[in-house]
Amino acid sequence: MCAAPSRAGSGGSGRERYVRVFEACDEDKKGYLSREDFKVAVVMLFGYKPSKVEVDSVMASVQQKNSGVLLEEFLKLMNTKKAAQLHHSEIRQIFTAFDMQYKGFLTLEDFKRAFNSVAPKLPERIIVEAFREVDQDSDGHVSFKEFESAMNYGQNEVSQLHFA
């Protein structure tokens, strides 16, 4: 099992932190992370155990060439994962800003208020059309899931390489 890198100086850039975790998890100094090493590294960096599907996807993408995940591949994967995590967090912040009464969903009034603050000249019919488009189940409420889906529209082909 990986030994946790020392907490002293655990700031630093993402790259430095990823390298420290990679080195800590590559206990035998093989130059790559095995399936188990990779899982522990993700736990150390992101605080959750990756699913079997996620690990299978990563291992399948590197297995043909190596016995595991090399440092450069690991760095690319972790940067992609961090970007996806930040994107999700930004969407959550925008949703929360729209949901001023903390209802957990958005109404047409919430949409109007938000759009009027950023685009006051936008015709109301455009706001209504946007709301209807995002309200996929037509229940008059936009859930976070519906909002996130709309915000990610067209992104999936690019950003969903290994991590959802």
Side-chain angles (χ1 to χ4, degrees):
M1 201 49 61
C2 303
S6 72
R7 286 279 167 218
S10 65
S13 74
R15 180 182 171 87
E16 291 166 3
R17 184 164 174 249
Y18 299 158
V19 169
R20 280 198 310 275
V21 168
F22 181 94
E23 289 171 349
C25 290
D26 180 17
E27 289 181 302
D28 304 331
K29 306 295 176 235
K30 308 174 294 294
Y32 63 87
L33 297 183
S34 68
R35 180 183 191 85
E36 288 306 309
D37 295 339
F38 178 77
K39 286 197 278 192
V40 174
V42 171
V43 170
M44 290 171 72
L45 289 168
F46 295 96
Y48 80 93
K49 182 179 173 194
S51 69
K52 181 180 181 328
V53 171
E54 185 175 327
V55 176
D56 286 350
S57 172
V58 168
M59 297 314 285
S61 73
V62 299
Q63 213 73 55
Q64 303 90 325
K65 301 169 272 188
N66 319 347
S67 308
V69 181
L70 297 174
L71 177 61
E72 285 307 312
E73 292 168 319
F74 180 74
L75 294 174
K76 284 181 201 159
L77 290 165
M78 295 305 101
N79 284 325
T80 300
K81 188 166 197 52
K82 186 67 178 172
Q85 191 179 53
L86 288 172
H87 181 69
H88 179 79
S89 177
E90 289 170 353
I91 292 171
R92 175 59 77 182
Q93 289 175 343
I94 294 166
F95 181 85
T96 302
F98 278 38
D99 182 16
M100 295 164 89
Q101 279 92 35
Y102 305 105
K103 300 177 299 287
F105 59 85
L106 304 176
T107 63
L108 177 57
E109 291 310 309
D110 294 325
F111 255 61
K112 287 179 184 176
R113 208 175 5 264
F115 276 99
N116 283 331
S117 70
V118 295
K121 293 186 177 8
L122 194 66
E124 185 172 333
R125 69 177 176 74
I126 300 292
I127 299 168
V128 171
E129 282 177 32
F131 181 82
R132 286 187 182 143
E133 187 73 29
V134 177
D135 181 18
Q136 295 169 353
D137 60 6
S138 302
D139 66 353
H141 298 117
V142 172
S143 67
F144 176 71
K145 187 174 180 181
E146 289 171 320
F147 186 78
E148 184 178 38
S149 175
M151 294 291 283
N152 286 329
Y153 183 79
Q155 299 284 315
N156 291 348
E157 305 81 53
V158 178
S159 64
Q160 301 297 320
L161 292 174
H162 295 290
F163 304 106

